[in-house]
Structure formats: structure tokens, C-alpha cells
Amino acid sequence: MNTLFGIKNCDTVKKAQTWLKQHEVAYTFHDFRIDGLTDTQVRGWHKELGDALLNRRSTTWKQLTDAQKAEAEADPVALILANPTLIKRPLLDTGTARMVGFKQDQYAQLFR
């Protein structure tokens, strides 16, 4: 089953949800803030996606201290668990593949 991870008020998440519905792709939505995240999930995503997982353009990132940013560069998992909006949104997990962000052409290729 496809799972779309994000926050409900994120415009990019909304665009991804609209695309999935229009293309009749079944999915469940997992809100980071409401449903939480586990250490295992975040570590797995970081191992697979690497640097792409961390959203350095987010308001949350910009509000971090230099020490926190340095910590995130070394091992971002603890900081992401404390601040899940540091994850680039949305994160789509198909069960066999994961991708961050939303681009229509990438979704179309993934679900063709």
C-alpha cells in the first residue's frame, strides 16, 4: 500500500494528494505531526534517501541554531524526530520505493 507522509496544510502535499486521487492511485495519508514517526522509519529513510531527506529550505531549518544544523549534518535522525517538518515533503512510500518532493512527471513514471 502506498503511504504519503507529510503535514496536512502543506501545499506540496496537497498537490501530491490531488494527483494521486485524479490518477486513482490508492494511498493512505500519514501526518507527521498527528501520527508521529519512529526512529526506525527515519533511519531507514535517511539511509535510503540520504541528504535529499532533509529540507534545508524549510522555516524549521532556518530557525535552527548553527549547532543544531551541524548536528543534523552529522546525524539528522534525532533532530528530525524532534522536528518532523525538517523532512522534505511529501515523502511517498510505495512499499518498494521512496521519494521526496512532488513532481507530476516522477509520479507518472512511478505509477505507469
Side-chain angles (χ1 to χ4, degrees), residues 24-43:
E24 299 178 354
V25 176
Y27 74 96
T28 58
F29 179 65
H30 183 105
D31 190 308
F32 295 152
R33 289 183 176 150
I34 295 169
D35 304 317
L37 296 171
T38 67
D39 184 84
T40 302
Q41 282 174 312
V42 177
R43 285 197 188 282

Side-chain angles (χ1 to χ4, degrees), residues 53-55 58 60-61 64 79-80 83-88:
L53 182 64
L54 201 56
N55 184 359
S58 72
T60 305
W61 177 262
L64 295 176
L79 197 56
I80 288 172
N83 302 281
T85 55
L86 287 172
I87 293 175
K88 186 170 183 179

Side-chain angles (χ1 to χ4, degrees), residues 60-74 79:
T60 305
W61 177 262
K62 292 173 186 175
Q63 293 173 347
L64 295 176
T65 66
D66 289 341
Q68 289 172 311
K69 289 178 183 177
E71 174 189 331
E73 297 298 338
L79 197 56

Side-chain angles (χ1 to χ4, degrees), residues 1 8-9 13 18 22 31 34 41 48-49 52 58-59 61 64-65 83 89 95 98 102-103 112:
M1 173 56 106
K8 65 181 175 184
N9 62 340
V13 169
T18 298
Q22 288 175 341
D31 190 308
I34 295 169
Q41 282 174 312
E48 181 177 343
L49 300 168
S58 72
T59 303
W61 177 262
L64 295 176
T65 66
N83 302 281
R89 299 178 303 269
R98 270 124 323 266
F102 170 70
K103 291 189 179 170
R112 59 183 155 127

